[in-house]
Amino acid sequence: VLALRILSVYIVYTFNISIKRMKMSKSIELTTSQIKALENGATMLMFPVIQKDNEGDEYSLSIKNNYINGIIEKNYRIYRFKQPVKDFIAHEFEFQKGDKDVWVKEEFSDSRKDYDNKIKYKADDTKNKIQLCDWQPASQMTKEQSRYSIDCLDIRIVRPSEISKVGYFDGADINEDILKGLGLDWIGYFNRESYEEIGHGLFKDLYNQQMQECGLNRTYQGNDYIFLVEVKLNKKDANV
């Protein structure tokens, strides 16, 4: 009996260790514009909500009173579902509020075994001047090749229209941070009319660019739901 108890404790202990290791090894793929935004000081990132079920059928969404309301058509029949927003995020997003040291995958080139002993990152090549690079997709990056990790501070589901008008003046949802990610601290010195006109246009361009980088045919006019994720950027020890 004692031996069985010891064995059960050991199994529970090793299981907990495995779970902790799984949590520590979480990763996220970021686009070039997302990387640049973080480097410029942004703390908000946008990710598309993919409105498809496991069989690839699309569904529509609405949010009311912190609940997701979904409608999907299958075989000429209409099905509805309702789910707390927090549960939907837990099921549909790659990491969760409170996760730390989620290591970042980005487009890169590792030539350490070749001629210059360096890892290069596509986000640094803003003017396409880096030569002799065989760029590899973010999906192929290993943790050892990564230069950043992020902590997840908060996750919300919003429509682009909710954050497209700058809240600096009118109390709307956060957008100054996203503009800051474009290196536009100076924009806050404009009057309200200029600020909203310029900021709104820049946000639409940024949104369209990021959806394109994600391989989605979405535009700001579609106003599809997105995950708005508040993060803290951590720079890893130099590996180049």
Side-chain angles (χ1 to χ4, degrees):
V1 175
L2 179 59
L4 288 175
R5 287 181 178 176
I6 293 173
L7 179 61
S8 63
V9 169
Y10 175 77
I11 292 174
V12 170
Y13 172 77
T14 53
F15 176 78
N16 289 335
I17 292 296
S18 298
I19 293 297
K20 288 180 180 179
R21 286 176 178 171
M22 288 173 61
K23 290 181 178 179
M24 290 173 61
S25 64
K26 285 186 177 180
S27 63
I28 183 73
E29 290 185 26
L30 298 186
T31 68
T32 298
S33 63
Q34 288 173 327
I35 293 291
K36 295 304 298 180
L38 288 175
E39 291 177 337
N40 285 331
T43 59
M44 293 285 180
L45 294 176
M46 298 179 291
F47 297 89
V49 175
I50 307 300
Q51 296 174 203
K52 291 184 179 181
D53 66 7
N54 293 334
E55 297 176 356
D57 294 317
E58 294 187 2
Y59 54 80
S60 61
L61 287 180
S62 62
I63 299 178
K64 185 177 181 180
N65 298 326
N66 291 320
Y67 273 85
I68 292 282
N69 298 284
I71 300 176
I72 188 169
E73 181 179 349
K74 282 180 176 289
N75 300 321
Y76 305 103
R77 298 185 64 179
I78 301 297
Y79 298 90
R80 301 176 185 272
F81 63 89
K82 186 175 182 179
Q83 186 178 26
V85 169
K86 64 177 183 179
D87 292 347
F88 182 86
I89 292 174
H91 184 266
E92 297 294 332
F93 199 62
E94 298 175 71
F95 55 91
Q96 304 300 310
K97 179 179 178 179
D99 283 350
K100 296 183 181 296
D101 291 323
V102 178
W103 60 280
V104 172
K105 295 183 175 184
E106 58 180 301
E107 196 171 353
F108 73 107
S109 176
D110 191 344
S111 58
R112 290 177 296 174
K113 295 181 180 179
D114 298 325
Y115 59 92
D116 61 1
N117 196 36
K118 289 183 178 180
I119 299 177
K120 300 180 181 68
Y121 302 94
K122 184 66 173 177
D124 296 339
D125 190 21
T126 55
K127 297 182 179 179
N128 296 317
K129 289 186 176 181
I130 299 180
Q131 303 295 322
L132 302 175
C133 273
D134 180 18
W135 294 115
Q136 300 177 59
S139 59
Q140 294 184 13
M141 175 171 277
T142 65
K143 187 174 183 179
E144 184 268 334
Q145 293 166 323
S146 173
R147 57 176 170 169
Y148 295 127
S149 70
I150 55 177
D151 300 339
C152 180
L153 306 180
D154 193 24
I155 306 177
R156 288 181 288 163
I157 299 178
V158 299
R159 292 189 184 275
S161 60
E162 296 177 57
I163 54 177
S164 62
K165 288 299 182 72
V166 180
Y168 186 81
F169 292 101
D170 57 18
D173 217 331
I174 298 171
N175 190 38
E176 310 95 287
D177 182 85
I178 294 174
L179 296 180
K180 183 179 178 182
L182 294 172
L184 298 174
D185 295 335
W186 50 268
I187 201 170
Y189 295 100
F190 282 81
N191 59 36
R192 175 177 179 141
E193 289 75 20
S194 297
Y195 190 72
E196 290 191 348
E197 180 181 354
I198 296 172
H200 185 61
L202 288 170
F203 176 84
K204 289 195 294 185
D205 292 343
L206 175 65
Y207 176 85
N208 293 342
Q209 178 186 353
Q210 292 196 354
M211 293 304 107
Q212 185 178 15
E213 288 177 344
C214 291
L216 296 174
N217 185 25
R218 292 186 183 180
T219 64
Y220 173 82
Q221 284 69 26
N223 206 30
D224 297 291
Y225 279 110
I226 58 173
F227 296 106
L228 184 64
V229 185
E230 182 180 0
V231 301
K232 173 181 174 291
L233 180 65
N234 307 306
K235 187 171 179 62
K236 298 172 63 176
D237 294 335
N239 59 3
V240 295

